[in-house]
């Protein structure tokens, strides 16, 4: 494989950081790609065709705010986990429909949104009120 091929593969795979969710059934660990810039956040999962079950994408904001998302140009069905500044899960939008332009709202101010493969929240018992551990969240 050429160097150009390696860099493209790297860009698609992203750089991942650890994040965990404390549930009633125990800690659930993920490796997340963090979308820090406005450009990265606008692009998010658009045009990607897959996401591994132990991976996710985190969208942190500079301060808590009402967040809105949609699935336009997103081919992978997702669970969207809306997280307050103290790491508490505010709400979960389960099985967001691929390619939909329907607006998905946080319902309350949040500091970040975690996107994981659809069905992950149910499979791992992740619920509103559970706590997310990642450096931006302050108890």
């Amino acid at each position: 494989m050429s160097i150009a091929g390696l860099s493209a593969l790297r860009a698609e795979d992203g750089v991942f950081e650890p994040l965990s969710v404390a549930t009633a059934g125990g800690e659930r660990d993920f490796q997340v790609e963090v979308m820090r810039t406005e450009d990265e956040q606008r692009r998010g999962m658009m045009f990607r065709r897959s996401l591994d079950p132990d991976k996710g994408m985190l969208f942190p904001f500079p301060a808590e705010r009402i967040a809105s998302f949609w699935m336009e140009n997103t081919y992978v069905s997702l669970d969207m986990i809306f997280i307050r500044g103290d790491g508490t899960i505010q709400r979960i939008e389960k099985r967001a429909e691929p390619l939909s332009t329907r607006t998905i709202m946080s319902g309350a101010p949040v500091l970040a949104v975690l996107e994981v493969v659809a069905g992950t929240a149910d499979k791992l018992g992740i619920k509103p009120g559970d706590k997310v551990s990642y450096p931006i969240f302050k108890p």
Side-chain angles (χ1 to χ4, degrees), residues 14 30 32 50 52 75 77 86 99-100 105 109 132:
F30 295 92
V32 296
S50 65
D52 291 341
Y75 297 100
S77 182
D86 67 355
L99 306 175
S100 172
M105 303 293 293
V132 177

Side-chain angles (χ1 to χ4, degrees), residues 26-95:
E27 290 286 321
R28 308 302 184 192
D29 297 323
F30 295 92
Q31 291 293 316
V32 296
E33 189 175 356
V34 182
M35 302 289 101
R36 290 184 171 87
T37 69
E38 284 185 33
D39 257 4
E40 289 173 336
Q41 289 189 3
R42 253 191 306 279
R43 189 175 54 253
M45 283 289 299
M46 287 198 303
F47 305 108
R48 296 195 188 184
R49 299 289 180 166
S50 65
L51 180 64
D52 291 341
D54 64 333
K55 300 262 190 318
M57 190 171 278
L58 185 70
F59 298 79
F61 308 125
E64 284 189 319
R65 66 178 179 133
I66 299 290
S68 63
F69 280 68
W70 65 357
M71 296 287 289
E72 185 174 31
N73 299 318
T74 303
Y75 297 100
V76 179
S77 182
L78 300 168
D79 287 347
M80 293 181 185
I81 301 171
F82 296 89
I83 311 162
R84 292 186 281 229
D86 67 355
T88 303
I89 295 175
Q90 161 65 30
R91 80 182 270 306
I92 302 171
E93 176 75 23
K94 296 179 181 178
R95 301 182 190 284

Side-chain angles (χ1 to χ4, degrees), residues 110-127:
V110 295
L111 188 61
V113 178
L114 172 63
E115 293 181 343
V116 293
V117 174
T120 299
D122 286 338
K123 179 180 173 187
L124 299 180
I126 299 172
K127 298 182 177 356

